[in-house]
Amino acid sequence: MLWTVLLALLVLLLLQTQLSVCLRELRSGGSSSSVYSPRSSSSSFYNATQQRLPGAIIIGVRKGGTRALLEMLNLHPDVEVAKAEVHYFNVEEHYRRGLAWYRAQMPFTVPGQLTVEKTPGYFAAPQVPARVSDMNPAVRLLLIVRDPAERLISDYTQVLHNRLTRHKPYKPLEELLLHKGHIDPGYKALQRSLYHQHLARWLEVFPREQIHVVDGDALIRDPFPELRKAERFLDLPPRINPSNFYYNTTKGFYCLLSAGHDKCLDESKGRPHAPLSTQALKKLCRYFRKPNKLFFEMVGRSFAWC
């Protein structure tokens, strides 16, 4: 009887190990020559695959390239990402559900893998930094930024598209942006582009070295250098390569390539921006000069913004 039990346990352990191998093969496309490195099956034996709280969060900015950054990080074999924006820390209804609910929104991982979540609404929400710190004061934060004027126009364009899809009217951008010929500081899309104000709240809670700033404009032009910097920040071994990206001339931006399979971001990426007059754009750029300068001083680097 004892030998029967031991034999059954041995078979069960072998099946569990084989299952771990199969899952890794499926993720890497079944090819040992892919960019992915093999993972240890022994860790899966001692610690079952489970949902874990994120070790890194992409906190923003909205319309800054957060989805692209998430999908690119997901190329790494030691990274698993939450597929949807969770909005746990910035939506009261979600936050009241507690960490158990938040954990349940995360992907299944094996020990050693990094769970990454992204919700760009976190960056500008005043209550979020302290809540994230309460969850894990050592969590790593990624902030992807782009030219604040371009971000604002992209923000408006998305809202406009959503309104038109629902057959609802929406004012032209210039009417929302300008009041009596001057920039209206109360326009919400403008406020989201005041990066220095929002970052100041995060720096009250987290040390600067715990927040990695990604150049969203550079990520569009040439993804690999920005991804290599992100790998180093996240203490990940270098596994993402230039061969993981190819320029899609039809779409006008880089797409992802892994294990022989390509993936491009959805049709909303690269959508033509809503029109804005040259005069209004100049006023917008002048308005952002001082806020941008303050942000550059905070992060210790500058960007080629208008």
Side-chain angles (χ1 to χ4, degrees), residues 13-24 37-49 110-111:
L13 295 179
L14 289 173
L15 287 174
Q16 188 175 17
T17 301
Q18 186 61 40
L19 178 61
S20 298
V21 173
C22 289
L23 287 172
R24 291 197 306 275
S37 63
R39 295 172 180 148
S40 170
S41 60
S42 60
S43 62
S44 299
F45 164 71
Y46 289 109
N47 297 279
T49 299
V110 298

Side-chain angles (χ1 to χ4, degrees), residues 223-287:
F224 174 69
E226 289 300 311
L227 266 295
R228 182 49 52 89
K229 294 174 189 174
E231 282 180 322
R232 288 196 292 266
F233 170 72
L234 297 171
D235 283 336
L236 293 169
R239 295 290 183 270
I240 301 173
N241 297 301
S243 59
N244 287 124
F245 308 98
Y246 73 95
Y247 189 78
N248 187 308
T249 54
T250 302
K251 291 181 176 292
F253 53 79
Y254 278 88
C255 296
L256 315 182
L257 185 65
S258 176
H261 303 286
D262 67 341
K263 179 177 183 179
C264 288
L265 300 176
D266 62 49
E267 63 276 4
S268 69
K269 310 305 176 186
R271 178 189 292 149
H273 280 174
L276 183 65
S277 70
T278 302
Q279 183 181 12
L281 180 60
K282 287 181 179 179
K283 290 181 179 179
L284 184 60
C285 289
R286 283 197 298 269
Y287 184 89

Side-chain angles (χ1 to χ4, degrees), residues 172-208:
L173 174 55
E174 204 151 330
E175 289 185 27
L176 295 171
L177 181 62
L178 299 178
H179 178 68
K180 296 181 179 180
H182 299 284
I183 297 295
D184 181 2
Y187 180 37
K188 285 187 178 181
L190 178 81
Q191 294 172 356
R192 295 189 191 106
S193 282
L194 299 176
Y195 303 151
H196 72 292
Q197 291 184 358
H198 310 305
L199 182 59
R201 288 193 293 267
W202 288 89
L203 291 177
E204 290 175 357
V205 180
F206 292 96
R208 172 67 185 88

